[in-house]
Amino acid sequence: MGAIEGLSHLTLHVTDLTRSEDFYGGILGLDPVGRDLVSEDGPNSLFRSAAGHLVLLVEVPGPVEPFRGKTTSIHHAWYLTPEQHAAAVARLKAMGMPIGDTREAMRAMGQKSFDVYDPDGHRYQIQTVGPEAYQILKPSAGEIDCGNIADYEVGDVRSFNDGKLYLVRSENGFAALSRWCTHMNGLVQWKENHWHFYCPYHKATFNRAGASTSHFPFDTLAPLRLHPLAIAKDGSIRVDTDVLLIRKKAEALDVVPATPGAATDTSRYEAI
Amino acid sequence: MSEEMIMTTGMHSLNHTAMPVHDMAAAEAFYCDVLGATAHQATCFSLEDVKTGAAIFKSFVIGDFLLALTVARNSMDMPPPDRFRGAHGYRHGFQVSRARFDEIRAALDAHRVPYQGPVAHPEKGPFGASLYFKDPSGNFLEFVWRRDEDALPRNRSYLSPE
């Protein structure tokens, strides 16, 4: 159809208009537009967000049905600037409202979200994303001792938490992959049973070379970034977490041969 | 949008709604073919859900808004066929320009989507007139033209928090 400009408004049934006006104006912080400006069956009240989206509250005899049948996952999400989000957190905390994030471990760096419920049980996510979500992060943990080449078998993937990295032993050698997803700064996890790295934030996946194996729209993501590694004469492996190597695609030369004296050729990459 | 409004409001924008449908294929046909939405990420949450065809998530962008649909095949009653202006607690109203309002109505007719309206709104308010209809799963929807449309941004695009 292509004629839709965007969302105009979300109509919500409520059982006590005044009580809900207090919530949407005083707690959510929307701007009141006015009462009974819309042709509805009951008393109604309009509120506006910064971007112009409207919320239309319509009082009904009740009860209202925030969730259809047994479907409890229905929710509406608000997007806030980081400043608005900080103000909302302070405002709701001062009111004694719980603002915990049950999925905090799945968020990317800088992404914040909590749920609130209006007086009739309508569920809202209050979300923001700060600039740190897109910054390239370095662990800056210095050089990390990752053991000896003799300690690894082909196929091993080991996590080093201080360095936010995975060391991958493939047939051709070693690669130190940064765990920060190249979409946003979620931390990828190695899923041994699926043979891939997985970002719990947006479900992007990467193979053991760090190349994206995601479906649209993450199929074009850049590969996971590398840390340079060096193998000493005694076979010990050291990874430099102070340097990140950016690559446009995963290549065979990204892997350092499992031989004493081998090291990452950093000249092949943009180094940060 | 005035700077004063941006400074005083506590929320930037409505971003998305997660809501259920009975049949994802029917929903995709409706939202993409009739409303002009674009389909985005799809996910099955677990192997058991994949086997049963349940808990599939698929997102659709309509202008500046995203609908994240999940399959809830047998857990929602349908509203009465002749009820168009309801709300299962909520109803989404999408803005069309006044100039294209008749075009939207013709599109609903062409796709045999039953609707109620146009219903005129008070002149003192921002809404001009609305058409009320439902998606194939009985979720209530609305098209509205706005008297204040000249003050609203054109060609709005979805602002992802992701």
Side-chain angles (χ1 to χ4, degrees):
Chain A
M1 184 175 287
I4 296 176
E5 300 285 347
L7 186 77
S8 164
H9 59 282
L10 181 67
T11 299
L12 298 159
H13 281 180
V14 300
T15 52
D16 184 329
L17 191 59
T18 301
R19 179 180 66 171
S20 293
E21 285 176 326
D22 289 343
F23 176 85
Y24 286 89
I27 296 178
L28 284 191
L30 296 172
D31 293 334
V33 179
R35 269 205 177 197
D36 297 328
L37 300 176
V38 181
S39 175
E40 287 289 344
D41 292 335
N44 57 83
S45 186
L46 265 180
F47 286 84
R48 188 194 321 260
S49 73
H53 290 151
L54 300 175
V55 169
L56 173 62
L57 307 176
V58 180
E59 187 172 275
V60 297
V64 301
E65 186 187 22
F67 305 109
R68 290 186 63 187
K70 302 172 186 173
T71 57
T72 58
S73 63
I74 295 171
H75 64 266
H76 315 285
W78 290 96
Y79 179 67
L80 283 68
T81 65
E83 294 78 16
Q84 289 170 334
H85 189 272
V89 168
R91 191 166 62 243
L92 272 65
K93 272 187 176 177
M95 295 175 178
M97 298 188 70
I99 55 170
D101 181 4
T102 57
R103 304 178 74 193
E104 187 173 6
M106 299 174 66
R107 306 291 178 198
M109 183 76 72
Q111 204 268 350
K112 298 173 183 174
S113 179
F114 62 87
D115 285 6
V116 294
Y117 291 80
D118 85 350
D120 289 288
H122 296 290
R123 175 185 166 199
Y124 293 101
Q125 285 182 346
I126 310 295
Q127 299 185 327
T128 192
V129 175
E132 60 268 42
Y134 298 100
Q135 294 165 351
I136 294 178
L137 302 174
K138 289 192 291 187
S140 297
E143 281 200 355
I144 289 184
D145 179 0
C146 295
N148 194 286
I149 56 175
D151 299 333
Y152 288 81
E153 294 182 5
V154 171
D156 281 353
V157 176
R158 295 190 190 174
S159 173
F160 294 88
N161 286 332
D162 289 346
K164 296 286 190 294
L165 66 89
Y166 281 110
L167 189 64
V168 178
R169 173 63 162 107
S170 61
E171 281 189 337
N172 297 323
F174 291 90
L177 302 179
S178 168
R179 289 186 59 196
W180 294 110
C181 183
T182 53
H183 167 227
M184 287 175 66
N185 284 325
L187 277 173
V188 300
Q189 302 168 352
W190 171 242
K191 297 294 184 185
E192 187 172 8
N193 292 336
H194 299 281
W195 295 359
H196 66 210
F197 297 101
Y198 169 80
C199 181
Y201 185 36
H202 288 111
K203 305 174 181 61
T205 55
F206 302 85
N207 63 21
R208 279 179 289 187
S212 173
T213 53
S214 308
H215 297 293
F216 177 84
F218 300 131
D219 50 339
T220 57
L221 284 180
L224 295 175
R225 303 173 192 106
L226 299 172
H227 288 291
L229 70 85
I231 301 173
K233 290 181 179 177
D234 64 356
S236 61
I237 307 167
R238 297 192 69 82
V239 173
D240 185 356
T241 67
D242 292 339
V243 177
L244 272 173
L245 305 173
I246 312 298
R247 50 185 181 156
K248 293 180 179 175
K249 63 178 181 178
E251 298 183 285
L253 290 174
D254 297 335
V255 177
V256 174
T259 55
T264 305
D265 178 4
T266 56
S267 66
R268 298 182 59 243
Y269 309 95
E270 175 192 357
I272 294 179
Chain B
M1 195 62 52
S2 71
E3 287 299 317
E4 182 182 5
M5 182 177 295
I6 291 172
M7 291 298 291
T8 56
T9 191
M11 297 277 161
H12 179 275
S13 54
L14 272 163
N15 178 264
H16 69 260
T17 289
M19 67 182 198
V21 295
H22 291 123
D23 182 314
M24 189 62 77
E28 179 161 2
F30 178 82
Y31 283 101
C32 293
D33 298 345
V34 181
L35 269 63
T38 55
H40 286 259
Q41 190 180 15
T43 302
C44 294
F45 290 117
S46 72
L47 183 58
E48 288 307 308
D49 289 339
V50 173
K51 286 178 178 176
T52 61
I56 298 169
F57 156 96
K58 193 160 190 174
S59 57
F60 299 87
V61 169
I62 306 174
D64 58 355
F65 195 69
L66 182 142
L67 288 175
L69 305 183
T70 56
V71 174
R73 188 159 290 144
N74 300 314
S75 58
M76 300 186 300
D77 292 334
M78 288 291 284
D82 59 350
R83 186 181 178 203
F84 298 102
R85 209 180 166 188
H88 294 293
Y90 59 89
R91 179 179 71 229
H92 292 89
F94 290 98
Q95 183 206 343
V96 297
S97 69
R98 184 172 192 175
R100 300 187 70 174
F101 196 68
D102 289 341
E103 178 186 335
I104 288 280
R105 188 176 180 182
L108 291 178
D109 289 332
H111 286 89
R112 300 182 184 279
V113 177
Y115 59 88
Q116 177 186 343
V119 173
H121 296 288
E123 290 191 11
K124 62 181 179 180
F127 298 169
S130 294
L131 299 174
Y132 301 93
F133 57 104
K134 292 171 287 191
D135 77 3
S137 300
N139 291 303
F140 289 105
L141 299 165
E142 174 184 350
F143 285 143
V144 61
W145 69 261
R146 299 265 298 257
R147 299 184 198 281
D148 58 353
E149 65 183 13
D150 291 340
L152 298 172
R154 302 298 306 273
N155 301 314
R156 304 196 294 271
S157 60
Y158 175 62
L159 178 64
S160 171
E162 302 170 353

